[in-house]
Short mmCIF file of all heavy atoms in Angstrom, two decimals:
data_model
loop_
_atom_site.label_atom_id
_atom_site.label_comp_id
_atom_site.label_asym_id
_atom_site.label_seq_id
_atom_site.Cartn_x
_atom_site.Cartn_y
_atom_site.Cartn_z
N LEU A 4 77.18 -31.01 -13.86
CA LEU A 4 76.46 -31.75 -12.70
C LEU A 4 76.18 -30.88 -11.51
O LEU A 4 75.04 -30.87 -10.94
CB LEU A 4 77.23 -32.99 -12.29
CG LEU A 4 76.70 -33.92 -11.18
CD1 LEU A 4 75.17 -34.32 -11.62
CD2 LEU A 4 77.54 -35.14 -10.88
N VAL A 5 77.10 -29.93 -11.09
CA VAL A 5 76.97 -29.17 -9.97
C VAL A 5 77.21 -27.73 -10.44
O VAL A 5 78.00 -27.35 -11.27
CB VAL A 5 77.91 -29.49 -8.92
CG1 VAL A 5 77.86 -28.64 -7.75
CG2 VAL A 5 77.90 -31.02 -8.51
N ASN A 6 76.38 -26.74 -9.77
CA ASN A 6 76.55 -25.31 -10.07
C ASN A 6 77.46 -24.85 -9.09
O ASN A 6 77.34 -24.89 -7.88
CB ASN A 6 75.21 -24.68 -9.78
CG ASN A 6 74.10 -25.04 -10.95
OD1 ASN A 6 74.40 -25.48 -12.03
ND2 ASN A 6 72.86 -24.64 -10.61
N TYR A 7 78.58 -24.38 -9.57
CA TYR A 7 79.63 -23.74 -8.82
C TYR A 7 79.70 -22.20 -8.82
O TYR A 7 79.21 -21.55 -9.79
CB TYR A 7 81.08 -24.34 -9.20
CG TYR A 7 81.25 -25.72 -8.98
CD1 TYR A 7 81.16 -26.59 -10.17
CD2 TYR A 7 81.65 -26.11 -7.78
CE1 TYR A 7 81.39 -27.97 -9.89
CE2 TYR A 7 81.90 -27.50 -7.51
CZ TYR A 7 81.67 -28.46 -8.68
OH TYR A 7 81.92 -29.75 -8.48
N LEU A 8 80.17 -21.59 -7.72
CA LEU A 8 80.41 -19.99 -7.74
C LEU A 8 81.56 -19.78 -8.62
O LEU A 8 82.68 -19.56 -8.08
CB LEU A 8 80.59 -19.66 -6.26
CG LEU A 8 79.24 -19.53 -5.41
CD1 LEU A 8 79.62 -19.26 -3.89
CD2 LEU A 8 78.37 -18.44 -5.81
N GLU A 9 81.38 -19.85 -9.86
CA GLU A 9 82.38 -19.42 -10.86
C GLU A 9 81.98 -18.00 -11.42
O GLU A 9 80.80 -18.05 -11.99
CB GLU A 9 82.54 -20.35 -11.97
CG GLU A 9 83.14 -21.73 -11.22
CD GLU A 9 83.15 -22.86 -12.22
OE1 GLU A 9 82.60 -22.82 -13.29
OE2 GLU A 9 83.88 -23.96 -12.00
N LYS A 10 82.67 -17.01 -11.35
CA LYS A 10 82.18 -15.68 -11.64
C LYS A 10 81.62 -15.56 -12.99
O LYS A 10 80.49 -14.94 -13.17
CB LYS A 10 83.33 -14.66 -11.40
CG LYS A 10 82.91 -13.26 -11.66
CD LYS A 10 83.91 -12.11 -11.40
CE LYS A 10 83.48 -10.78 -11.70
NZ LYS A 10 84.43 -9.69 -11.39
N GLU A 11 82.42 -16.03 -14.00
CA GLU A 11 81.83 -15.84 -15.44
C GLU A 11 80.50 -16.45 -15.69
O GLU A 11 79.64 -15.87 -16.12
CB GLU A 11 82.92 -16.40 -16.44
CG GLU A 11 82.54 -16.17 -17.87
CD GLU A 11 83.63 -16.71 -18.78
OE1 GLU A 11 84.74 -17.14 -18.35
OE2 GLU A 11 83.20 -16.81 -20.06
N GLN A 12 80.35 -17.69 -15.13
CA GLN A 12 79.11 -18.40 -15.33
C GLN A 12 78.02 -17.65 -14.45
O GLN A 12 76.82 -17.68 -14.87
CB GLN A 12 79.15 -19.87 -14.73
CG GLN A 12 77.98 -20.64 -14.99
CD GLN A 12 77.49 -20.87 -16.49
OE1 GLN A 12 78.30 -21.28 -17.27
NE2 GLN A 12 76.36 -20.41 -16.79
N VAL A 13 78.36 -17.27 -13.29
CA VAL A 13 77.21 -16.66 -12.29
C VAL A 13 76.79 -15.37 -12.96
O VAL A 13 75.59 -15.05 -12.96
CB VAL A 13 77.85 -16.43 -10.91
CG1 VAL A 13 76.89 -15.57 -10.26
CG2 VAL A 13 78.07 -17.83 -10.29
N VAL A 14 77.64 -14.58 -13.50
CA VAL A 14 77.34 -13.18 -14.10
C VAL A 14 76.44 -13.39 -15.28
O VAL A 14 75.45 -12.72 -15.55
CB VAL A 14 78.53 -12.47 -14.51
CG1 VAL A 14 78.13 -11.33 -15.35
CG2 VAL A 14 79.33 -12.01 -13.13
N GLU A 15 76.77 -14.40 -16.11
CA GLU A 15 75.95 -14.77 -17.24
C GLU A 15 74.54 -15.16 -16.87
O GLU A 15 73.64 -14.70 -17.49
CB GLU A 15 76.65 -15.91 -18.04
CG GLU A 15 75.94 -16.24 -19.39
CD GLU A 15 76.74 -17.38 -20.14
OE1 GLU A 15 77.87 -17.26 -20.14
OE2 GLU A 15 76.03 -18.16 -20.78
N ASP A 16 74.46 -16.02 -15.84
CA ASP A 16 73.25 -16.51 -15.36
C ASP A 16 72.36 -15.25 -14.82
O ASP A 16 71.12 -15.17 -15.04
CB ASP A 16 73.33 -17.51 -14.20
CG ASP A 16 74.04 -18.78 -14.73
OD1 ASP A 16 73.84 -19.17 -15.89
OD2 ASP A 16 74.37 -19.70 -13.88
N LEU A 17 73.08 -14.35 -14.09
CA LEU A 17 72.16 -13.39 -13.58
C LEU A 17 71.79 -12.36 -14.60
O LEU A 17 70.64 -11.80 -14.35
CB LEU A 17 73.19 -12.55 -12.55
CG LEU A 17 73.55 -13.32 -11.25
CD1 LEU A 17 74.50 -12.50 -10.37
CD2 LEU A 17 72.29 -13.67 -10.49
N GLN A 18 72.44 -12.15 -15.67
CA GLN A 18 72.09 -11.27 -16.73
C GLN A 18 70.76 -11.95 -17.45
O GLN A 18 69.85 -11.20 -17.71
CB GLN A 18 73.19 -11.13 -17.89
CG GLN A 18 74.27 -10.33 -17.38
CD GLN A 18 75.51 -10.29 -18.41
OE1 GLN A 18 75.49 -11.14 -19.19
NE2 GLN A 18 76.35 -9.39 -18.18
N LEU A 19 70.80 -13.29 -17.53
CA LEU A 19 69.53 -13.88 -18.02
C LEU A 19 68.45 -13.76 -17.08
O LEU A 19 67.23 -13.59 -17.47
CB LEU A 19 69.89 -15.37 -18.47
CG LEU A 19 68.73 -16.25 -18.95
CD1 LEU A 19 68.09 -15.52 -20.31
CD2 LEU A 19 69.23 -17.63 -19.26
N ALA A 20 68.74 -14.04 -15.79
CA ALA A 20 67.60 -13.84 -14.77
C ALA A 20 66.98 -12.52 -14.83
O ALA A 20 65.77 -12.34 -14.64
CB ALA A 20 68.27 -14.22 -13.43
N ASN A 21 67.79 -11.44 -14.87
CA ASN A 21 67.19 -10.13 -14.99
C ASN A 21 66.35 -9.89 -16.17
O ASN A 21 65.45 -9.08 -16.16
CB ASN A 21 68.37 -9.05 -15.01
CG ASN A 21 69.26 -9.21 -13.61
OD1 ASN A 21 68.51 -9.46 -12.56
ND2 ASN A 21 70.41 -8.72 -13.57
N GLU A 22 66.59 -10.65 -17.19
CA GLU A 22 65.75 -10.39 -18.44
C GLU A 22 64.43 -11.15 -18.15
O GLU A 22 63.50 -10.69 -18.75
CB GLU A 22 66.55 -11.02 -19.70
CG GLU A 22 67.74 -10.17 -20.10
CD GLU A 22 68.55 -10.91 -21.20
OE1 GLU A 22 67.95 -11.89 -21.78
OE2 GLU A 22 69.67 -10.48 -21.60
N LEU A 23 64.55 -12.26 -17.55
CA LEU A 23 63.30 -13.11 -17.41
C LEU A 23 62.44 -12.70 -16.29
O LEU A 23 61.26 -13.05 -16.26
CB LEU A 23 63.69 -14.54 -17.40
CG LEU A 23 64.54 -15.09 -18.51
CD1 LEU A 23 65.11 -16.61 -18.17
CD2 LEU A 23 63.72 -15.12 -19.80
N ALA A 24 63.03 -12.21 -15.24
CA ALA A 24 62.23 -12.05 -14.07
C ALA A 24 62.21 -10.58 -13.51
O ALA A 24 62.95 -9.81 -14.07
CB ALA A 24 62.93 -12.98 -12.88
N ASP A 25 61.36 -10.36 -12.51
CA ASP A 25 61.27 -8.91 -12.00
C ASP A 25 62.08 -8.91 -10.56
O ASP A 25 62.40 -7.78 -10.17
CB ASP A 25 59.81 -8.75 -11.56
CG ASP A 25 58.78 -8.89 -12.69
OD1 ASP A 25 59.00 -8.15 -13.67
OD2 ASP A 25 57.83 -9.76 -12.56
N PHE A 26 62.55 -10.04 -10.18
CA PHE A 26 63.24 -10.13 -8.76
C PHE A 26 64.13 -11.39 -8.84
O PHE A 26 63.65 -12.43 -9.21
CB PHE A 26 62.20 -10.17 -7.76
CG PHE A 26 62.74 -9.98 -6.33
CD1 PHE A 26 62.67 -8.79 -5.70
CD2 PHE A 26 63.08 -11.09 -5.64
CE1 PHE A 26 63.07 -8.68 -4.40
CE2 PHE A 26 63.66 -10.96 -4.34
CZ PHE A 26 63.54 -9.74 -3.68
N THR A 27 65.38 -11.18 -8.37
CA THR A 27 66.25 -12.29 -8.35
C THR A 27 66.75 -12.68 -6.93
O THR A 27 67.22 -11.88 -6.17
CB THR A 27 67.54 -11.87 -9.27
OG1 THR A 27 67.11 -11.66 -10.61
CG2 THR A 27 68.55 -13.01 -9.24
N ILE A 28 66.77 -13.96 -6.62
CA ILE A 28 67.13 -14.51 -5.43
C ILE A 28 68.35 -15.47 -5.74
O ILE A 28 68.25 -16.35 -6.63
CB ILE A 28 66.05 -15.37 -4.64
CG1 ILE A 28 64.83 -14.53 -4.41
CG2 ILE A 28 66.59 -16.01 -3.45
CD1 ILE A 28 63.70 -15.19 -3.92
#
């Protein structure tokens, strides 16, 4: 339900974001 600052999940999300996008916010 809520996105938390949990390192494992955040790192996984950022890896995907870097694959999909040119710039990450």
Side-chain angles (χ1 to χ4, degrees):
L4 182 56
V5 180
N6 291 349
Y7 293 102
L8 281 168
E9 296 173 344
K10 184 176 178 180
E11 184 177 349
Q12 182 63 57
V13 170
V14 170
E15 183 179 326
D16 290 345
L17 292 177
Q18 289 174 347
L19 180 57
N21 291 333
E22 293 174 9
L23 298 175
D25 305 300
F26 189 97
T27 299
I28 302 172

